[in-house]
């Protein structure tokens, strides 16, 4: 039995490491592309960088901590809580970055003429800073007291243990399900996702209204502008859809745990839900590469400039980009 558990843990760790090895380089590439390409310097791509930073942290920090929690070491309560909280911070940061992206796309199609005067680099930076501040406050709420400490202390007293408050470090041991469902999901996950859905529906509605107008010689530029906005909006809506698809199963399982304590959820479903949440951090660079031409061009430039020509100096490396 011990051998099978060990083998299962080894498989779990291998999948987590694979996700991290895809997520970290992919999202570093996104940040690198925005830094080196002037065409990717507007507010939308600044918010995308914020999302990429969170995804890098998932691969570099959250996944190693998740592996530690899976092993379940014996540790002090608040030490375990510190291991569990980063994923809450980064999840909220991703959601707020996606919300900022959605609002930015809405403003682009709603007030195209005044957009640049409304969405300035300074305001975008303030918005990103606010998103991260809120994310830390939401994610660290368990550290402020909304956790399972009292429940664990009562259990320890019943067991008449007074040798020090040491526990087996697991997520559900320290994180309150009431916090995860009532506060995290019902306040900071589900409403922003529904709001983003409404925003993108309105964005597509506004764009289609503009594209359905009769094209005249004087309206060529607006038609081109809204056509480009439609392509980018579809790509970013796909990012949102993948995020919701990745995170909702785990939150549904949390709701089942809270509202139906007698219901037994198969462990394999929990692990699949966890893999989906971590795997989401690796999806976005792939979406950008296949769906957004500016990113695709920047990725090719990085490859040709820093990798292709350095590995084979005799080859002719040119940044070619096939037309859409």
């Amino acid at each position: 039995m011990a051998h099978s558990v060990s083998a299962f843990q080894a498989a779990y760790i291998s999948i987590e490491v694979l996700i991290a090895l895809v997520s970290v380089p992919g999202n570093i590439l996104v940040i690198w592309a925005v830094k080196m390409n002037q065409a990717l310097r507007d507010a939308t791509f600044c918010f995308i960088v914020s999302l990429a930073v969170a995804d890098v942290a998932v691969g570099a920090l959250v996944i190693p901590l998740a592996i530690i929690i899976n092993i379940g070491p014996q540790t002090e309560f608040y030490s375990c809580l510190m291991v569990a909280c980063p994923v809450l911070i980064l999840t909220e940061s991703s959601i707020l970055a996606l919300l900022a992206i959605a609002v930015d796309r809405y403003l682009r199609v709603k007030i195209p003429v005044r957009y640049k005067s409304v969405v300035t680099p300074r305001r975008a930076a303030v918005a990103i800073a606010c998103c991260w501040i809120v994310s830390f406050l939401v994610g660290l709420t368990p550290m402020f007291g909304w956790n399972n400490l009292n429940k664990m202390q009562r259990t320890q007293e019943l067991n008449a243990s007074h040798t020090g408050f040491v526990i087996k470090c697991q997520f559900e041991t320290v994180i309150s399900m009431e916090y995860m469902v009532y506060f995290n999901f019902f306040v900071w996950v589900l409403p922003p996702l529904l709001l983003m859905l409404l925003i993108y529906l309105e964005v597509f509605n506004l764009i289609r209204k503009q594209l359905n107008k009769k094209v005249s010689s004087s309206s060529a530029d607006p038609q081109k502008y809204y056509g480009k906005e439609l392509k980018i909006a579809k790509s970013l809506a796909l990012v949102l859809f993948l995020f919701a698809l990745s995170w909702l199963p785990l939150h549904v399982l949390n709701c089942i745990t809270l509202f139906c304590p007698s219901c037994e959820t198969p462990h394999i479903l929990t692990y699949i839900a966890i893999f989906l949440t971590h795997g989401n951090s690796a999806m976005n660079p792939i979406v950008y590469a296949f769906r957004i031409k500016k990113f695709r061009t920047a990725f090719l430039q990085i490859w040709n400039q820093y990798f292709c020509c350095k590995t084979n100096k005799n080859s002719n490396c040119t940044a070619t980009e096939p037309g859409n």
Side-chain angles (χ1 to χ4, degrees), residues 47-48 50-51 54 88-104 127-139 187-189 191-193 195-196 199 240 243:
F47 296 131
I48 286 176
S50 180
L51 180 60
L88 304 173
I89 296 169
L90 296 172
T91 304
E92 191 56 38
S93 173
S94 297
I95 291 171
L96 294 179
L98 289 168
L99 180 58
I101 290 169
V103 172
D104 178 73
I128 291 171
C130 290
C131 288
W132 278 98
I133 290 170
V134 171
S135 300
F136 272 93
L137 292 175
V138 172
V187 177
W188 291 104
V189 173
L193 287 177
L195 178 59
M196 283 183 268
I199 290 172
L240 171 62
F243 182 89

Side-chain angles (χ1 to χ4, degrees), residues 8-323:
F8 185 83
Q9 283 187 332
Y12 167 80
I13 292 170
S14 299
I15 295 172
E16 289 281 39
V17 169
L18 180 63
I19 292 171
L21 290 176
V22 175
S23 174
V24 174
N27 285 285
I28 288 175
L29 189 63
V30 170
I31 298 168
W32 192 354
V34 174
K35 185 178 185 300
M36 71 169 289
N37 194 328
Q38 285 292 128
L40 297 172
R41 293 288 181 84
D42 62 18
T44 300
F45 296 108
C46 290
F47 296 131
I48 286 176
V49 165
S50 180
L51 180 60
V53 168
D55 287 337
V56 168
V58 169
L61 177 64
V62 169
I63 287 178
L65 294 179
I67 291 171
I68 291 173
I69 287 179
N70 179 259
I71 295 171
Q74 296 290 324
T75 183
E76 194 269 334
F77 183 89
Y78 275 99
S79 297
C80 183
L81 204 55
M82 283 297 294
V83 171
C85 282
V87 67
L88 304 173
I89 296 169
L90 296 172
T91 304
E92 191 56 38
S93 173
S94 297
I95 291 171
L96 294 179
L98 289 168
L99 180 58
I101 290 169
V103 172
D104 178 73
R105 302 323 296 184
Y106 173 76
L107 293 175
R108 277 181 174 274
V109 299
K110 184 67 175 179
I111 52 169
V113 177
R114 294 191 297 117
Y115 171 78
K116 287 188 177 181
S117 63
V118 173
V119 184
T120 62
R122 179 182 175 83
R123 288 174 179 170
V126 170
I128 291 171
C130 290
C131 288
W132 278 98
I133 290 170
V134 171
S135 300
F136 272 93
L137 292 175
V138 172
L140 291 177
T141 296
M143 294 294 298
F144 303 146
W146 198 346
N147 54 52
N148 285 336
L149 179 60
N150 291 335
K151 183 190 297 184
M152 295 300 297
Q153 285 176 331
R154 286 195 298 269
T155 303
Q156 191 180 52
E157 288 171 4
L158 288 173
N159 293 333
S161 174
H162 301 286
T163 59
F165 195 52
V166 176
I167 61 168
K168 184 178 181 181
C169 185
Q170 293 181 324
F171 189 85
E172 290 186 19
T173 303
V174 293
I175 299 293
S176 164
M177 273 298 120
E178 287 80 4
Y179 161 82
M180 285 301 300
V181 173
Y182 293 126
F183 186 68
N184 189 278
F185 182 47
F186 286 167
V187 177
W188 291 104
V189 173
L190 191 57
L193 287 177
L194 293 175
L195 178 59
M196 283 183 268
L197 174 62
L198 295 176
I199 290 172
Y200 275 111
L201 288 175
E202 181 61 17
V203 166
F204 291 133
N205 183 47
L206 289 171
I207 291 174
R208 288 201 170 90
K209 281 182 179 178
Q210 293 295 329
L211 292 177
N212 287 336
K213 289 181 178 179
K214 290 184 178 180
V215 181
S216 64
S217 58
S218 62
S219 65
D221 287 340
Q223 289 285 323
K224 183 179 179 181
Y225 174 84
Y226 285 106
K228 184 176 70 173
E229 286 299 316
L230 180 60
K231 286 182 180 178
I232 295 177
K234 284 181 178 179
S235 301
L236 296 174
L238 176 60
V239 171
L240 171 62
F241 172 75
L242 291 174
F243 182 89
L245 193 66
S246 300
W247 278 95
L248 287 178
L250 186 60
H251 284 289
V252 169
L253 291 178
N254 288 339
C255 290
I256 293 172
T257 300
L258 179 64
F259 298 129
C260 184
S262 61
C263 299
E264 290 189 11
T265 305
H267 287 299
I268 189 64
L269 290 182
T270 302
Y271 279 105
I272 290 172
I274 291 171
F275 288 142
L276 281 173
T277 61
H278 294 167
N280 179 252
S281 63
M283 295 177 189
N284 294 343
I286 299 170
V287 173
Y288 302 150
F290 281 97
R291 300 278 307 181
I292 300 179
K293 185 176 180 180
K294 287 181 180 179
F295 267 116
R296 194 159 61 244
T297 302
F299 291 162
L300 285 171
Q301 287 175 345
I302 291 171
W303 170 256
N304 289 328
Q305 184 175 347
Y306 295 96
F307 298 100
C308 173
C309 293
K310 288 190 176 183
T311 56
N312 187 4
K313 292 183 179 179
N314 295 325
S315 64
N316 294 323
C317 293
T318 56
T320 56
E321 166 60 25

